[in-house]
Amino acid sequence: MASTHRTPIEEHPDLMELRARHDRAAATPRAQMIEALALLTGIYLAASPWIVGFNGFTTLAVNNLIVGIAYTLLLGGLGNSYERTHSMAWAAAAIGIWTCIAPWVVAGDVAHTRSITSNLITGILATLLALAAASGARDHDTDRQGPPSRRPMPGAH
């Protein structure tokens, strides 16, 4: 019986090319700018109750701390995990939208001018950065496939 040598999946040429492509995409100035701004936005969101001065509103302060950390982890690591950026970006966009409505939704009387202004500006910026990250991942995948007339048919080998 003849034995065949199989290479580990990590060494498969298609997988190696995919990783190299994602590394190249994460190294673009656009991706780096989005990652840096997202990191700063997430850190600001987490610290905003103490920066803006609504840390006495405990429910909104805790909310902003948690969602700021989550946002930072989702988009702040964009360069390390670019292949999952599209799905992470949509989750980050949801966090941005949540940030906009949180002053009116969380328990307690926390909807005051400072908290509303801070959350609206930060939430809009967070959402726009997340959409830019999702767009960048989608655009890069589309560029790789080529023009529509040159793309392989689904299921074709």
Side-chain angles (χ1 to χ4, degrees):
M1 188 161 177
S3 67
T4 59
H5 175 68
R6 295 182 186 245
T7 59
I9 190 70
E10 295 84 21
E11 296 176 15
H12 191 280
D14 289 343
L15 186 57
M16 292 175 70
E17 189 276 327
L18 182 66
R19 285 184 181 149
R21 181 173 52 88
H22 290 304
D23 288 343
R24 285 189 307 272
T28 64
R30 179 180 181 210
Q32 291 174 350
M33 180 187 68
I34 291 170
E35 181 180 359
L37 290 174
L39 180 66
L40 292 172
T41 301
I43 290 170
Y44 172 79
L45 179 57
S48 64
W50 295 273
I51 293 171
V52 178
F54 58 90
N55 56 332
F57 311 130
T58 57
T59 55
L60 188 59
V62 171
N63 173 78
N64 282 14
L65 178 63
I66 292 169
V67 298
I69 291 169
Y71 186 85
T72 301
L73 292 174
L74 283 172
L75 285 186
L78 178 64
N80 296 330
S81 53
Y82 197 79
E83 65 271 9
R84 294 186 311 267
T85 298
H86 192 71
S87 60
M88 291 188 312
W90 286 110
I95 288 175
I97 294 168
W98 169 256
T99 300
C100 290
I101 63 171
W104 295 283
V105 178
V106 298
D109 183 25
V110 295
H112 299 284
T113 304
R114 287 185 288 183
S115 61
I116 292 171
T117 304
S118 177
N119 274 41
L120 279 176
I121 292 170
T122 307
I124 290 168
L125 180 60
T127 304
L128 292 175
L129 287 169
L131 293 175
S135 171
R138 182 183 52 86
D139 290 347
H140 185 71
D141 287 342
T142 301
D143 290 346
R144 181 185 65 87
Q145 292 176 352
S149 62
R150 303 278 315 218
R151 289 186 194 151
M153 300 263 316
H157 294 93

